[in-house]
Amino acid sequence: MNSHSIRETAAVALSLLDLTNLKDDCTEAQIDALCARAQTPFGNSAAICIWPHFVAYARNILGTGHVVRIATVVNFPSGEMEVADVAAETREAIADGADEIDLVIPYRKFITGDEKAVTDMVRAIRAECTGPVLLKVIIETGELKDAALIRRASELAIEAGADFIKTSTGKVAVNATLEAADIMIRSIRESGRKVGFKPAGGIGSVADAALYLSLAETIMTPDWPMPSTFRFGASGLLDDILAVLSGAQPASVAASSY
């Protein structure tokens, strides 16, 4: 994995970035800024990820068919809404212009042994995500904690039709970890399906990103990470990416393991 320069890693990370603002006090002005920041002199992020009530506003800014996709969250962050309510939330978000839906599974029910709750939720939202709309399923690995639970939640999400499986909401104490990523990516490989992976929460540097990319390349193939199969969910990562790409941060500051 040492064949990549830190600048190459930064450029790849930019192309895979879901630039996120899910702050409780997010404003329209911050959405304006997010849409602008997603379009950099070095290329665009893959998507922005925002609250559902900002989707129409962001779509108005970006217009239709924009290269920067609009992702939003449903059943977020608690995972405790009723299926019908999440389906309605999803329909409204897609009507407002969302390209991608990041769905939180009912992870507390799953922890108690209710696998059907997961399957029912994912299948119902999968049915709403027609055409090109991507479904990313958040399994909240930091709350599941147990490796066997993380593996099983990944398998259930994949079997029920997830386009991506995602580690975390970013709203709990433990978010993305390399240990959880290893389990999830291996679950994808073993499924034999074209499913993507999205680590989210706590990834703030190109050095962090390099570790996840290296892991994905090791488990899958060197050319596997691309926007259709790999995303980073992050709010602070872009600053470090731009620092590396602009030359403001010397390569020696960032990890060279990737």
Side-chain angles (χ1 to χ4, degrees), residues 123-251:
R123 283 181 176 164
I125 307 314
R126 167 79 274 163
E128 300 294 341
C129 296
T130 56
V133 179
L134 287 180
L135 174 61
K136 307 195 204 89
V137 177
I138 305 169
I139 67 172
E140 201 67 291
T141 54
E143 294 294 287
L144 298 184
K145 299 181 175 70
D146 180 75
L149 284 180
I150 293 169
R151 178 178 298 280
R152 186 59 182 150
S154 299
E155 291 170 350
L156 290 171
I158 291 168
E159 289 165 6
D163 293 308
F164 275 73
I165 50 176
K166 174 178 170 182
T167 59
S168 323
T169 60
K171 298 287 190 178
V172 295
V174 176
N175 293 291
T177 67
L178 289 168
E179 292 77 13
D182 185 279
I183 295 164
M184 294 173 72
I185 298 170
R186 289 181 190 278
S187 296
I188 291 170
R189 185 182 69 186
E190 289 163 14
S191 76
R193 300 190 186 189
K194 188 188 176 190
V195 176
F197 172 67
K198 179 177 172 180
I203 301 167
S205 69
V206 174
D208 292 338
L211 296 174
Y212 285 93
L213 289 169
S214 180
L215 179 67
E217 288 193 350
T218 300
I219 295 171
M220 304 299 279
T221 60
D223 60 352
W224 188 72
M226 61 182 70
S228 62
T229 55
F230 195 107
R231 300 287 182 86
F232 289 107
S235 55
L237 178 57
L238 182 60
D239 291 338
D240 200 54
I241 288 171
L242 295 179
V244 170
L245 291 176
S246 68
Q249 175 170 293

Side-chain angles (χ1 to χ4, degrees), residues 25-43:
D25 59 355
C26 183
T27 63
E28 288 186 349
Q30 290 176 359
I31 298 298
D32 287 330
L34 196 73
C35 291
R37 292 186 71 231
Q39 303 169 77
T40 85
F42 306 100

Side-chain angles (χ1 to χ4, degrees), residues 75 77-80 104-112 118 138-140 143-144 169 172:
N75 203 24
S78 72
E80 295 185 330
V104 184
I105 65 166
Y107 61 88
R108 291 186 180 91
K109 288 183 179 178
F110 174 66
I111 289 169
T112 69
V118 176
I138 305 169
I139 67 172
E140 201 67 291
E143 294 294 287
L144 298 184
T169 60
V172 295

